[in-house]
Amino acid sequence: RIIFLESVAAVPGMVAAMTRHLHALRRMRKDYGWIHTLLEEAENERMHLMTALELKNPSVIFRATVLVTQGIFVNMFFFGYLVSPSFCHRFVGYLEEEAVKTYTKCLEDLDAGNLPDWKDMKAPPIAKNYWNLMDGAMMRDVILAIRADEAHHRLVNHTLSTMDEETKKSIRVPTRGQETLAIKR
């Protein structure tokens, strides 16, 4: 489930960044940092996937299902973003809320002993490197880091969904690890 969700989760950030990039080029205007923020979100979601792939190698049928799902979702999200970026960011904000719940459930299951394979599993090297986890980091630490990322994406997308274009110009774009948006002074 995590591999499938994360393979699709990187789509909105990439599509929104591409759409905003093309819009900025056509209008010959600045984007005020949102392209970078959205690309960073897509890259972060991809790292969640790369970490999950350290735990399980999906079958050819599973990979084909991901390919079809991505093809459909990329096009639907692209056209949706052209019509209403605010709606799309709100939609992604709700998806991220569900991701937070999913990873919270993983933590609860891990703590309850329902995921015995993960109980004593060390964090994969890719995760330790990406999230700067300590040498003794365990899978629980990885899930905590991923859940924090998803909560951050939720905040960014819900915030983007409520802002008009003029307000977006006055906001300092957060980077991973920051918890709030700050107004430029």
Side-chain angles (χ1 to χ4, degrees):
R1 175 182 170 152
I2 289 173
I3 292 174
F4 186 79
L5 293 175
E6 294 296 354
S7 70
V8 176
V11 169
M14 181 60 69
V15 171
M18 177 195 69
T19 306
R20 290 189 68 87
H21 177 73
L22 294 173
H23 186 260
L25 293 174
R26 278 192 313 275
R27 296 223 169 161
M28 298 180 195
R29 292 187 185 160
K30 293 182 194 179
D31 185 67
Y32 300 96
W34 292 108
I35 293 168
H36 175 76
T37 297
L38 295 167
L39 286 174
E40 184 181 68
E41 181 177 318
E43 170 67 8
N44 181 255
E45 294 288 2
R46 188 182 70 81
M47 290 306 295
H48 297 173
L49 174 63
M50 295 296 102
T51 300
L53 289 173
E54 293 286 317
L55 307 176
K56 183 173 177 138
N57 187 16
S59 69
V60 172
I61 293 170
F62 184 90
R63 290 171 187 264
T65 303
V66 167
L67 178 69
V68 170
T69 304
Q70 282 180 342
I72 293 167
F73 189 54
V74 163
N75 287 293
M76 289 177 56
F77 195 82
F78 173 70
F79 288 113
Y81 204 85
L82 289 176
V83 173
S84 178
S86 293
F87 173 81
C88 288
H89 285 294
R90 181 67 69 194
F91 174 72
V92 172
Y94 288 129
L95 289 179
E96 298 294 0
E97 285 182 24
E98 291 304 312
V100 169
K101 290 177 187 175
T102 296
Y103 286 110
T104 299
K105 174 89 168 86
C106 280
L107 289 168
E108 290 168 355
D109 287 348
L110 187 61
D111 293 342
N114 297 333
L115 297 171
D117 293 344
W118 289 10
K119 184 177 180 357
D120 297 319
M121 184 183 289
K122 297 223 181 258
I126 192 170
K128 288 198 300 193
N129 184 45
Y130 184 73
W131 285 286
N132 297 316
L133 300 176
M134 299 206 277
D135 286 336
M138 303 300 283
M139 195 59 201
R140 187 175 202 294
D141 300 311
V142 174
I143 299 300
L144 285 168
I146 293 173
R147 185 178 68 171
D149 288 344
E150 302 294 8
H152 176 73
H153 300 163
R154 176 187 59 195
L155 171 68
V156 169
N157 279 284
H158 279 310
T159 302
L160 281 173
S161 73
T162 59
M163 294 182 346
D164 60 28
E165 286 300 315
E166 287 304 310
T167 306
K168 288 179 187 174
K169 294 176 186 176
S170 67
I171 300 294
R172 179 174 51 89
V173 179
T175 58
R176 191 165 54 93
Q178 291 179 329
E179 296 180 17
T180 59
L181 297 174
I183 303 286
K184 281 186 185 176
R185 294 181 193 234

